[in-house]
């Protein structure tokens, strides 16, 4: 039996990538809206309610509006916007988050897909909060460097047009210290103190790495952090805990932000020196950071193999 899927916002970066994932799936029938009806509420409502799973690849306000159009109790919504990521009635779409998360995603009809920066930060921090290695009250700092595809179609066009010398160097942003991913970073990591977070966009298409610097109580804490990740992610196919002080990275001297591109993998690293450590996570911001995560959640919800098509 085929499952029916509709992508509301099929022309955006995330929506297009979801279509690419689903194109080779014989078990999926993709419902498509005629281009001239993309903003027609009645047609969108018809397709949303006809789908077993509907992806909302829309701005926040439009995603809230789309969710209100769904009256079919069988339709599962997977929202790629920020609108529902800390909403109590929506499940956070990160299967690796904690024990019981997969069961919750299988049962839920409302799934909020994580943000790309947030996914990397949470996968680093949540196991350490759960293990008592980071206190919920601890004030963390984090930076994230990402490819320009995370900015959507307008930013992609801006970079690929060329001719603007400002785009040749990395550009820190979110300088208001109110980036839209911060609420989910706190709630889903179990943190009570708002982290200081600075994202940076750079002149490459995709790939993302989040870094959390830590002052350790003693040098052994780095090993305990690494061991906590190994316990938490044991058996996970998409989260890879890399060797402590990863020899290949240290030998090269530079961190490859793009090494997880075109996969659904996340790589976690801890580098240490004395009482200091760097915790790092990398992923494909269009894969595990967006569309890949959404398809992974769809697979879980439908009872398919979690990695099907990924």
């Amino acid at each position: 039996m085929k499952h029916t899927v509709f992508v509301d916002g099929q022309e955006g970066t995330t929506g297009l990538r979801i279509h690419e994932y689903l194109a080779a799936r014989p078990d999926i029938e993709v419902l498509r809206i005629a281009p001239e009806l993309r903003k027609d509420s009645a047609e969108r409502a018809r397709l949303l309610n006809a789908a077993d799973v509907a992806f909302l690849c829309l701005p926040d306000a439009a995603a809230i509006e789309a969710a209100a159009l769904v009256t079919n109790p069988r339709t599962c919504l997977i929202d790629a916007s920020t609108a529902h990521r800390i909403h109590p009635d929506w499940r956070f779409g990160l299967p690796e988050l904690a024990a019981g998360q997969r069961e919750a995603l299988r049962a839920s009809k409302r799934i909020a897909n994580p943000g790309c920066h947030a996914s990397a930060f949470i996968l680093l921090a949540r196991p350490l909060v759960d293990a008592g290695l980071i206190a919920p009250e601890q004030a963390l700092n984090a930076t994230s460097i990402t490819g320009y595809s995370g900015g959507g179609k307008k930013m992609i066009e801006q970079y690929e047009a060329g001719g603007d010398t400002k785009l040749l160097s990395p550009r820190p942003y979110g300088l208001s210290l109110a980036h839209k991913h911060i609420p989910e970073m706190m709630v889903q990591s179990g943190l009570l103190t708002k982290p200081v977070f600075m994202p940076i966009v750079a002149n490459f298409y995709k790939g993302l790495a989040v870094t959390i610097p830590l002052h350790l109580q003693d040098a052994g804490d780095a090993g305990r952090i690494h061991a906590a990740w190994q316990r938490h992610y044991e058996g996970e196919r998409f989260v890879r805990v890399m060797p402590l002080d990863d020899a290949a990275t240290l030998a090269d001297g530079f961190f490859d932000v793009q090494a997880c591109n075109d996969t659904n993998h996340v790589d976690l690293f801890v580098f240490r020196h004395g009482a200091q450590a760097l915790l790092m996570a990398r992923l494909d911001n269009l894969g595990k950071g967006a569309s890949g995560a959404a398809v992974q959640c769809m697979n879980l919800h439908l009872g398919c193999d979690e990695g099907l098509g990924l």
Side-chain angles (χ1 to χ4, degrees):
M1 184 183 73
K2 283 193 174 185
H3 301 288
T4 53
V5 172
F6 174 57
V7 180
D8 196 4
Q10 64 190 32
E11 300 303 321
T13 308
T14 301
L16 289 169
R17 188 74 183 102
I18 288 173
H19 276 293
E20 290 175 14
Y21 280 120
L22 300 181
R25 294 275 298 266
D27 61 321
I28 298 293
E29 178 187 354
V30 178
L31 307 177
R32 294 182 179 269
I33 193 166
E36 67 274 14
L37 296 177
R38 282 192 297 135
K39 295 187 178 181
D40 185 290
S41 294
E43 179 64 1
R44 287 172 58 219
R46 184 185 74 79
L47 291 167
L48 286 163
N49 286 286
D52 296 315
V53 174
F55 295 97
L56 306 182
C57 302
L58 303 163
D60 288 7
I64 293 169
E65 174 194 306
L69 296 174
V70 177
T71 56
N72 182 353
R74 290 181 56 254
T75 298
C76 174
L77 293 182
I78 301 178
D79 181 12
S81 82
T82 314
H84 299 107
R85 290 177 185 165
I86 60 172
H87 194 291
D89 296 335
W90 290 64
R91 292 292 180 178
F92 194 62
L94 193 60
E96 303 89 355
L97 179 68
Q101 192 70 6
R102 283 183 168 82
E103 291 72 19
L105 292 169
R106 288 188 185 102
S108 181
K109 294 295 183 182
R110 297 293 182 269
I111 296 171
N113 209 48
C116 53
H117 303 290
S119 290
F121 180 91
I122 293 162
L123 289 166
L124 288 171
R126 175 63 182 264
L128 308 184
V129 174
D130 288 350
L133 296 170
I134 290 178
E137 300 81 10
Q138 187 165 337
L140 297 179
N141 300 327
T143 58
S144 181
I145 184 164
T146 184
Y148 58 77
S149 59
K153 275 192 166 182
K154 185 176 179 181
M155 184 174 285
I156 293 170
E157 290 170 1
Q158 183 185 23
Y159 271 88
E160 295 188 347
D164 188 342
T165 57
K166 293 193 303 293
L167 307 184
L168 298 179
S169 61
R171 296 192 296 160
Y173 66 104
L175 304 181
S176 65
L177 299 178
H179 192 278
K180 64 181 183 178
H181 291 184
I182 290 175
E184 68 192 274
M185 289 162 67
M186 291 180 65
V187 170
Q188 306 300 342
S189 295
L191 295 172
L192 301 176
T193 302
K194 178 181 172 183
V196 176
F197 175 59
M198 186 181 73
I200 302 165
V201 62
N203 191 15
F204 58 97
Y205 184 68
K206 63 183 179 180
L208 177 149
V210 166
T211 303
I212 301 174
L214 284 182
H215 291 281
L216 306 175
Q217 296 300 309
D218 65 69
D221 282 349
R224 285 185 275 276
I225 286 168
H226 191 261
W229 287 343
Q230 287 181 313
R231 288 193 300 272
H232 189 96
Y233 298 117
E234 183 179 4
E236 291 290 353
R237 72 171 85 180
F238 294 125
V239 181
R240 303 183 294 199
V241 180
M242 306 302 282
L244 186 62
D245 297 321
D246 185 59
T249 302
L250 292 174
D252 184 63
F254 296 92
F255 190 84
D256 184 358
V257 175
Q258 301 182 75
C260 285
N261 283 6
D262 301 311
T263 78
N264 202 52
H265 289 125
V266 182
D267 290 343
L268 305 184
F269 299 81
V270 57
F271 300 101
R272 61 187 168 169
H273 185 270
Q276 295 181 326
L278 293 173
L279 315 184
M280 302 185 73
R282 70 180 170 206
L283 51 78
D284 181 340
N285 58 289
L286 297 183
K288 183 62 171 167
S291 307
V295 171
Q296 184 182 354
C297 286
M298 179 199 77
N299 287 340
L300 266 173
H301 180 75
L302 294 176
C304 303
D305 179 271
E306 192 172 326
L308 188 60
L310 296 173

